[in-house]
Amino acid sequence: MSLSFWNPRSVFAGFDDDFFNTPTVLGVPSLAASANDQLRHSSPRYEVTENDKQFRLAVDVPGIKPDNMKIELENEGRVLHMTGARKVQTDTSFEEYKFDKRFTLGRDLDTSKITAHMSDGVLVMTAPKKETLPPVNQQIAITVGEAPALMDETADVGEKKKT
């Protein structure tokens, strides 16, 4: 598979659960949020499909507008980071739902060509796979005689200082 869940703050990397994002009491996650807590965390559902030429990630984000989302590539294009939020009106107030999701991308993807499209509450991202070239066998000629000396970086620096 070309994609996996990544959570840098958890020792349970890949454990897809917002349990560790809840408020803590003395370092232990609290099971009950305070009455004043109007911020809710959610984890959007997603589906990954792929074939020989590309992969596709479809994420359910109902009620979230593209302006309220952010998608970035991190760690030299190896991690896809998605964040978003939406506000829901209750009888007397607004509640805000946020999500923060990271996926580790496979090395076989061309991350410079990722596209994202939103329709009917579903964000679909696609990326083509890099072309794989067949392995090339190359013969290396063997020269008879002593091997050249190993290049020493400190010697080069010393010579440059003298000039």
Side-chain angles (χ1 to χ4, degrees):
M1 180 184 290
S2 300
L3 189 72
S4 62
F5 179 73
W6 183 71
N7 183 353
R9 297 176 299 241
S10 173
V11 295
F12 300 102
F15 187 69
D16 192 6
D17 190 347
D18 283 328
F19 180 74
F20 295 103
N21 289 333
T22 59
T24 60
V25 176
L26 299 174
V28 177
S30 170
L31 297 178
S34 68
N36 296 333
D37 184 20
Q38 295 298 315
L39 178 65
R40 308 261 187 230
H41 292 277
S42 64
S43 182
R45 301 257 181 226
Y46 59 91
E47 178 182 292
V48 177
T49 55
E50 67 179 314
N51 60 26
D52 293 339
K53 296 186 179 193
Q54 70 178 10
F55 95 93
R56 178 179 130 142
L57 171 65
V59 183
D60 292 338
V61 288
I64 299 179
K65 296 180 174 120
D67 294 343
N68 296 336
M69 288 186 61
K70 186 174 168 184
I71 304 169
E72 298 177 305
L73 286 173
E74 299 174 342
N75 294 352
E76 299 174 3
R78 297 276 298 133
V79 176
L80 180 74
H81 184 196
M82 297 175 49
T83 57
R86 68 181 171 115
K87 290 184 179 180
V88 177
Q89 184 174 2
T90 62
D91 294 335
T92 59
S93 65
F94 284 93
E95 290 186 5
E96 185 173 12
Y97 293 86
K98 289 189 173 189
F99 72 89
D100 186 291
K101 203 81 159 150
R102 285 181 172 89
F103 299 92
T104 303
L105 302 176
R107 295 185 187 277
D108 62 338
L109 299 177
D110 187 351
T111 57
S112 67
K113 295 181 181 175
I114 290 179
T115 61
H117 300 275
M118 173 102 79
S119 177
D120 297 327
V122 179
L123 176 69
V124 177
M125 290 174 280
T126 57
K129 291 186 177 183
K130 294 177 183 175
E131 289 186 37
T132 55
L133 301 175
V136 177
N137 291 336
Q138 177 182 354
Q139 281 206 306
I140 300 171
I142 300 173
T143 306
V144 177
E146 271 192 52
L150 188 62
M151 295 171 63
D152 186 13
E153 291 180 24
T154 56
D156 292 339
V157 173
E159 291 175 10
K160 289 178 185 176
K161 287 182 181 178
K162 291 178 185 176
T163 55

